Amino acid sequence: MKFPSTEKEQEFDKVFKDLPRIINEACDGYDELYGHKLIAGSDPETAKFYNEQYAKALFFKFAKGYQFDFDEAVKNLTKTLNWRKEFKPWKAAFADQHRQELEEAGIITYDAKASSNTKVITWNLYGKLNKNRQLFKDSNAFVQYRIGLMERGLQLLDFLDDENSYMTQVHDYSGVSLFTFDGNVRKCTKTVVEMFQSYYPELLYAKYFVAVPRVLSWVYDLVKTFVSEETRKKFVVLSGSDKLGESVPGVPKAYGGTINKTLEEISVKNIKPNEYILYLIQKDVIETVE
C-alpha cells in the first residue's frame, strides 16, 4: 500500500482501528466486502473468516478511490456495506439462476501470465443479446446478472498485490443491431453504471468499448455521464474488435491477440466462492427456510 504522505498513512491506521465501531453503528455489524470480512467481530463462528491483511487492503482501496479523504471513504464504505447487506451480490454471483441468454453474453477470462492488472477480464458480448429484446424489460434480472458477473470476477483478484487487484472490462458491440438499444437498455445501462461507480471504487484497470457503431455512440456518452473523471481516463474506444490485442495480451486472434482459441474456449466457467461467501449463502438459505 502506497500512501501519498506519512500523515495520510497515520490517518489510515487510525480510521482502520475505528472500523469496528463505525461498522457496528452504521451498518448494524454487516462487514462483508467483496467476500471478505472487514472486522473480526465478537462471534467466534465468523471470526475465523477474518484476515487483517485483506481488510486493510480493501479499506485502502476505498481510501485511494476517494483520494484519501477519509470522511468520504468511510461514508461511501458504509453506504456500500448497507447496499451489500440488502442486495446480497454474492448471492447473485453464486446462488441465483440467470437466463441463459444473459449467461452467454457474460464471460470471464483469467491469464496468469498476463501483465499487471490484465489477468482478469470480464467480457460483455452485447451482440449475443440481439435475438431477444425482451431481456432488458426486466431491469432487475439484468442488473442481477451484471452484478453476479462482477462478483465472480472479484474472486479471481489478488487484493494483497496492488499490481493485480484490478480487473479489465471489455464491452463488445460486434453484431449489435441499432434496434436492440431502446429505452429499456438505456435504463439498465444507467442503473448498472451508477451501481458500479458507487459500490466498486478503485477496481477498474481499464474499460474497452469495442466495435461501437457510430449510431450507438450514445452508449459511451451515457456511461461517461455517471462516472468520475478518474474513471473516464480508463475508458478506451476501439473501432474494431481486432484492435484489442494491441493493448490487452492473452486474447483470441479474433480480437487481435495470439491465442488460437475462441473466447468461449478460454473462459473460466467454474469460479468457486471463498469460505466466507459459502457461509453467507448457507446462512441465507437457513434464514429463508425459517
Side-chain angles (χ1 to χ4, degrees), residues 33-284:
L33 182 63
Y34 312 148
H36 299 279
K37 279 180 67 64
L38 289 183
I39 60 177
S42 57
D43 184 355
E45 184 180 9
T46 59
K48 62 184 178 182
F49 299 118
Y50 177 71
N51 182 307
E52 185 177 286
Q53 286 183 298
Y54 277 101
K56 280 189 173 181
L58 289 173
F59 181 54
F60 175 81
K61 272 194 170 292
F62 261 80
K64 185 177 180 181
Y66 292 97
Q67 293 76 51
F68 296 96
D69 180 334
F70 288 97
D71 288 338
E72 280 296 305
V74 168
K75 181 181 74 174
N76 286 280
L77 174 62
T78 55
K79 177 183 175 182
T80 297
L81 293 178
N82 281 316
W83 172 77
R84 295 183 72 86
K85 178 173 61 175
E86 180 180 353
F87 191 95
K88 301 176 183 177
W90 34 266
K91 188 176 178 182
F94 297 105
D96 292 343
Q97 295 294 316
H98 305 287
R99 295 188 61 163
Q100 184 178 352
E101 298 99 321
L102 291 173
E103 292 284 10
E104 291 176 351
I107 287 177
I108 298 174
T109 58
Y110 177 79
D111 181 6
K113 297 180 181 179
S115 58
S116 297
N117 295 315
T118 58
K119 296 182 186 296
V120 180
I121 305 176
T122 60
W123 303 73
N124 294 277
L125 311 177
Y126 290 106
K128 296 270 188 183
L129 304 179
N130 258 350
K131 297 178 181 179
N132 191 349
R133 294 174 61 188
Q134 303 301 313
L135 289 172
F136 296 97
K137 283 193 173 182
D138 186 352
S139 60
N140 289 332
F142 183 81
V143 169
Q144 288 275 350
Y145 141 73
R146 282 291 283 114
I147 294 297
L149 183 71
M150 179 68 172
E151 292 284 327
R152 288 197 298 276
L154 291 180
Q155 287 293 294
L156 298 176
L157 297 181
D158 182 0
F159 290 113
L160 299 184
D161 179 4
D162 193 50
E163 293 300 313
N164 291 296
S165 63
Y166 297 80
M167 67 170 59
T168 294
Q169 295 179 0
V170 176
H171 289 237
D172 186 357
Y173 294 88
S174 300
V176 168
S177 165
L178 170 62
F179 300 103
T180 302
F181 284 78
D182 55 17
N184 292 320
V185 179
R186 292 172 185 262
K187 178 182 177 182
C188 289
T189 301
K190 179 176 181 292
T191 299
V192 171
V193 170
E194 288 177 334
M195 281 185 165
F196 277 35
Q197 179 71 12
S198 298
Y199 307 130
Y200 298 94
E202 202 60 28
L203 289 171
L204 179 68
Y205 177 67
K207 185 192 292 284
Y208 293 89
F209 295 82
V210 173
V212 183
R214 185 167 298 179
V215 292
L216 293 179
S217 61
W218 66 263
V219 176
Y220 177 69
D221 292 336
L222 177 65
V223 172
K224 288 195 302 181
T225 303
F226 298 101
V227 300
S228 66
E229 178 61 30
E230 285 300 311
T231 300
R232 284 196 293 273
K233 292 178 182 178
K234 300 177 180 181
F235 289 178
V236 181
V237 180
L238 301 175
S239 58
S241 57
D242 60 344
K243 303 293 185 182
L244 184 63
E246 299 175 6
S247 304
V248 183
V251 299
K253 283 189 173 181
Y255 287 91
T258 58
I259 297 179
N260 291 312
K261 292 183 179 181
T262 66
L263 193 57
E264 288 75 12
E265 287 174 331
I266 65 172
S267 67
V268 183
K269 296 180 175 63
N270 297 311
I271 300 174
K272 297 181 179 180
N274 64 26
E275 291 185 356
Y276 190 37
I277 292 177
L278 284 174
Y279 167 81
L280 292 173
I281 292 174
Q282 292 168 358
K283 183 172 180 288
D284 182 70

Side-chain angles (χ1 to χ4, degrees), residues 14-26:
K14 181 180 179 181
V15 177
F16 180 77
K17 290 179 181 178
D18 198 32
L19 279 186
R21 180 194 63 79
I22 294 171
I23 291 174
N24 283 321
E25 290 181 0

Side-chain angles (χ1 to χ4, degrees), residues 1-6 8-10 12-13 60 63 68 70:
M1 296 185 293
K2 298 178 181 179
F3 294 89
S5 67
T6 302
K8 289 297 182 182
E9 183 173 6
Q10 292 173 345
F12 173 89
D13 290 336
F60 175 81
F68 296 96
F70 288 97

